[in-house]
Amino acid sequence: MSEEITPEIFNHLVTLAALELDEKQAAYLRRELNQQLKAIHELEAIPLDADLKVTTHGVSYNLANSPALREDTWLPHPNPDEILAQAPQVDEQYIIVPDIPHEKLD
Amino acid sequence: MELCDRSAHKLLELLRSKQVSAEEIVRSSLQRIAAVDGRPGSLESGEETEKDRQSVHAFISVAAEQALDQAKSIDRQLAKGEPVGLLAGIPFSAKDVFCVKDTYTTAASKILANFKAPYTSTAVERLQKQGAIMLGKVNLDEFTYGSSNESTAFQPCPRNPWDTSRVPGGSSGGSTASVAAGEVPLSLGTDTAGSIRQPAAFCGVVGVKPTYGRVSRYGIIAFASSLDCPGPIARDITDAALMLQAIAGADPRDSTAANVPVPDYLATLEQGVKGKRIGLSPDYFQISYMDAESGEIHQKPVQEDIRAAVYHAAEVLQRMGAEIIEDVPMPNTRYGIPAFFVISRVEAASNLHRYDGVKYGYRTPSAEDDLRVMYRKTRNEAFGLQPKLRILMGMYVSAAQYSEQYYNRALKVRALLRRDFDQIFDPLGKYRLDALLTPTTPTTAFPIGAIYGDSVLMQYADQFTVTANHAGIPGISLPGGIAADGLPVGVQLLGPDYSEHTLLQMGRSLEIGTQDEAWRSQRPALTLRW
């Protein structure tokens, strides 16, 4: 298969990923993505049984090894200010961000 | 031999018999760090100097005062005859993806350079509860994305203590370098495709990737959540067992931490390998890799002295009573890397979406009046190339039109990789193995700059380790010899789910069986200079 991530697809991915790249970065990243895609295409040649199920964890979880779920109980954090102190910009207990653009949906 | 060159279990003996104090142990480690580590990694690294090229650079931050205070406190407890923990007075380092309350936890990325963790990860908390003393946080590939440590945003990057022109491996390269250089006897690492075992092999130390869920992931900055495993790095098997004993077990704060009792790893360590069935597979003695230009798949045997070291380990284990079964088929091994390219990227992209300059970490200093522009500038300025590469690939292969072709297919290939192991470990099957013995890596540590930038070739360094992450099974890398290039060779033992006690037992037997061999007395060049 000769599928390739074209400059158009690449630019679309960059927008979706909320990135902004200079030309040098873009050239390197698109080249590497296409090299990785060649390696990934090896998967297409593997015969898979129709009833083969996906494995989301190598070790399967069952009653014997799954921990019981915690009670869904609200617990106060001992010091919320400590968490808020990590935010780049706050006003009292509000996190401040630039304007959120609004678009009219069709 | 300096105190800092001793194993943790030897130091515990000396400490409990009051021949040394915890403070002396910590001071010895701090002196070694001062002597060999060079300047710590930082975002403003400037020009690399000749001294930089001859230093280890394992640490990003060192908490000397806190460590000394903790050591003095343990000494007071011991003097009063009070009970102390399993690892009381033993220094350790933690890969800088483990959150530790009130310390910077950077993931070696600019985007988290100013992040102070508001809580402590379970693995670190459990080590500290047992009295272990954290000396500092160690460097890694940015967000763990790499196999050489060259991608860290905190330069100079770590170097291999055996030869500082070589990489220490990755992504837990700072951890393995700090242990190999005698800076700490123990370190916490994480393993997503081999990130504990590959650098352990490159640096001549022991690295344990536990069964997925054996050790809690709570408080660890995630790479690929279905593959990440925290685990011990140490200079010998006994120390690795001690460390695993402290950190393993269920955790109500991680729903994937398995609710399976933790055995007494030390109690079974010396029980030998008599009657154990250990396999060798031809599929682990050659690498299949893609030619970047042609896209063709090439096969190449592993470095000859690595093959020889694994066969020698098999002979030693056989001499000690194990049964060696050759020609064990593992037909899907070669697909581990292509499947990893898909699964890990999808999970990494998902995990990296949270870094947006809003809640914590870096935000672009440029004044923006549009949230979307702020996101883009922040992420562009603070993510390095490797995180960007993983975000883009993860988004591509999980897009609605491609997810069946790539992501779902990769998850099915993961099922095949798991099946390979299920078949050889099946107690009623043809092979009935207790473990598979393999090389950890296809080569010894490669020169700095030799591969970095080629993201495909770099990933193939993990070909023999990534299969355990897909399958979730445990694996151990331990020293198996010194190659002709003077660099350590790692041998790997892979076993069924939750069989860490068996693998440690086999590893210990291999240590005993090779203890008189000449290579065992060789030390990293850098520690000899000191």
Side-chain angles (χ1 to χ4, degrees):
Chain A
M1 183 156 178
S2 60
E3 183 185 319
E4 192 190 355
I5 297 175
T6 62
E8 291 73 30
I9 294 173
F10 180 79
N11 290 337
H12 182 57
L13 286 171
V14 170
T15 304
L16 290 175
L19 291 172
E20 197 177 70
L21 307 172
D22 62 33
E23 273 181 37
K24 193 176 161 197
Q25 285 186 334
Y28 169 77
L29 291 168
R30 195 169 78 82
R31 187 186 73 232
E32 290 301 310
L33 286 175
N34 279 316
Q35 298 292 11
Q36 292 186 9
L37 205 53
K38 283 182 196 167
I40 290 168
H41 282 151
E42 198 185 349
L43 296 175
E44 291 169 2
I46 307 170
L48 298 176
D49 297 342
D51 60 347
L52 184 67
K53 300 251 187 325
V54 301
T55 297
T56 52
H57 282 103
V59 180
S60 59
Y61 282 86
N62 50 46
L63 284 177
N65 64 356
S66 298
L69 292 176
R70 288 190 310 242
E71 288 286 312
D72 188 9
T73 314
W74 176 83
L75 293 171
H77 188 275
N79 188 1
D81 289 341
E82 211 173 39
I83 307 288
L84 277 172
Q86 297 289 335
Q89 197 180 349
V90 292
D91 183 2
E92 294 184 344
Q93 290 210 312
Y94 292 94
I95 291 174
I96 305 299
V97 296
D99 284 346
I100 300 169
H102 295 277
E103 287 175 19
K104 193 176 175 188
L105 298 174
D106 295 328
Chain B
M1 183 186 275
E2 299 296 325
L3 276 180
C4 60
D5 291 313
R6 302 255 184 206
S7 64
H9 62 95
K10 184 65 190 169
L11 290 173
L12 286 169
E13 262 178 49
L14 295 171
L15 193 60
R16 284 168 190 169
S17 60
K18 298 195 166 39
Q19 294 179 65
V20 297
S21 67
E23 185 181 344
E24 285 173 311
I25 293 172
V26 167
R27 285 196 188 281
S28 177
S29 280
L30 291 172
Q31 278 170 16
R32 178 61 61 86
I33 292 169
V36 304
D37 210 59
R39 58 189 174 125
S42 80
L43 295 179
E44 310 295 335
S45 58
E47 285 287 305
E48 193 177 72
T49 65
E50 188 51 36
K51 183 171 187 290
D52 288 337
R53 285 188 278 277
Q54 293 181 16
S55 302
V56 180
H57 307 293
F59 283 83
I60 289 179
S61 56
V62 177
E65 289 308 312
Q66 295 96 312
L68 284 167
D69 287 348
Q70 202 185 337
K72 288 171 191 168
S73 165
I74 286 165
D75 286 334
R76 283 193 294 273
Q77 282 178 273
L78 286 167
K80 287 184 205 164
E82 290 174 1
V84 292
L86 180 72
L87 289 166
I90 302 302
F92 74 98
S93 64
K95 187 177 182 177
D96 208 9
V97 288
F98 286 86
C99 286
V100 181
K101 187 169 164 47
D102 298 332
T103 72
Y104 288 107
T105 300
T106 68
S109 178
K110 183 177 178 181
I111 210 158
L112 282 176
N114 62 358
F115 173 65
K116 261 191 182 176
Y119 62 97
T120 298
S121 57
T122 296
V124 170
E125 190 177 88
R126 287 180 176 173
L127 284 174
Q128 290 179 328
K129 195 175 166 194
Q130 293 298 333
I133 298 170
M134 194 182 84
L135 285 201
K137 308 292 276 303
V138 281
N139 217 332
L140 60 143
D141 284 290
E142 183 176 1
F143 276 103
T144 78
Y145 302 154
S147 306
S148 69
N149 271 216
E150 291 160 286
S151 70
T152 174
F154 287 69
Q155 296 285 339
C157 65
R159 289 170 174 264
N160 194 314
W162 290 81
D163 176 349
T164 54
S165 72
R166 305 281 175 145
V167 301
S171 62
S172 306
S175 288
T176 56
S178 68
V179 172
E183 297 174 313
V184 281
L186 305 174
S187 187
L188 268 177
T190 59
D191 191 312
T192 306
S195 285
I196 286 176
R197 291 161 289 156
Q198 182 255 25
F202 279 8
C203 290
V205 298
V206 174
V208 179
K209 177 240 175 260
T211 309
Y212 182 84
R214 178 79 288 182
V215 177
S216 168
R217 291 181 295 114
Y218 176 78
I220 297 170
I221 295 168
F223 170 0
S225 304
S226 76
L227 300 161
D228 294 343
C229 290
I233 291 159
R235 279 187 223 122
D236 65 28
I237 288 285
T238 308
D239 282 5
L242 267 167
M243 197 172 172
L244 186 61
Q245 196 75 59
I247 63 176
D251 179 7
R253 294 174 296 187
D254 175 4
S255 64
T256 62
N259 190 24
V260 175
V262 179
D264 185 339
Y265 296 119
L266 293 163
T268 53
L269 209 51
E270 308 286 343
Q271 286 181 356
V273 287
K274 197 165 182 198
K276 298 288 185 203
R277 291 171 62 83
I278 299 173
L280 292 168
S281 170
D283 298 306
Y284 277 82
F285 287 92
Q286 58 180 10
I287 53 163
S288 302
Y289 65 100
M290 192 199 68
D291 182 275
E293 293 305 314
S294 65
E296 288 174 10
I297 303 296
H298 294 285
Q299 292 190 324
K300 193 176 169 185
V302 298
Q303 200 175 306
E304 172 51 29
D305 30 21
I306 292 181
R307 189 203 64 79
V310 177
Y311 272 85
H312 176 64
E315 282 166 21
V316 171
L317 290 165
Q318 188 173 40
R319 210 165 51 227
M320 299 182 80
E323 192 179 343
I324 303 297
I325 293 92
E326 295 198 59
D327 295 324
V328 175
M330 297 295 286
N332 295 296
T333 303
R334 59 181 278 203
Y335 303 128
I337 294 296
F340 184 77
F341 269 129
V342 177
I343 296 167
S344 69
R345 270 53 174 175
V346 171
E347 295 185 16
S350 171
N351 281 323
L352 288 177
H353 284 317
R354 72 190 67 176
Y355 302 105
D356 55 7
V358 173
K359 303 173 289 298
Y360 48 81
Y362 177 87
R363 179 188 286 190
T364 180
S366 70
E368 299 299 339
D369 55 7
D370 182 323
L371 182 67
R372 292 172 303 187
V373 178
M374 188 279 283
Y375 284 158
R376 287 201 294 270
K377 283 192 183 299
T378 293
R379 287 160 65 83
N380 185 52
E381 290 166 15
F383 278 139
L385 284 170
Q386 297 308 315
K388 286 171 181 164
L389 189 53
R390 279 151 183 84
I391 293 168
L392 293 168
M393 181 52 91
M395 296 189 71
Y396 181 76
V397 294
S398 60
Q401 65 270 41
Y402 300 122
S403 66
E404 187 58 39
Q405 180 185 354
Y406 296 122
Y407 185 54
N408 287 340
R409 192 168 185 85
L411 292 177
K412 288 180 179 176
V413 172
R414 179 195 269 192
L416 293 182
L417 286 156
R418 172 76 196 188
R419 191 186 289 174
D420 278 357
F421 287 108
D422 284 342
Q423 286 172 348
I424 65 164
F425 296 140
D426 180 354
L428 302 174
K430 182 177 176 188
Y431 296 99
R432 305 183 306 285
L433 298 183
D434 295 292
L436 187 70
L437 175 65
T438 79
T440 309
T441 57
T443 65
T444 51
F446 42 84
I448 289 175
I451 298 181
Y452 185 57
D454 185 337
S455 65
V456 174
L457 194 56
M458 183 70 84
Q459 194 71 74
Y460 278 91
D462 297 331
Q463 188 157 116
F464 302 147
T465 48
V466 71
T467 51
N469 300 82
H470 284 303
I473 61 166
I476 293 180
S477 178
L478 69 155
I482 302 290
D485 55 14
L487 295 166
V489 173
V491 298
Q492 178 177 235
L493 287 159
L494 302 171
D497 297 343
Y498 311 114
S499 67
E500 288 85 354
H501 58 293
T502 308
L503 301 183
L504 290 165
Q505 206 174 308
M506 290 175 180
R508 179 69 190 126
S509 293
L510 191 54
E511 278 181 352
I512 293 167
T514 56
Q515 65 189 354
D516 296 327
E517 295 181 4
W519 64 271
R520 279 274 178 209
S521 58
Q522 291 191 44
R523 303 251 317 278
L526 192 131
T527 60
L528 295 175
R529 280 210 305 270
W530 188 65

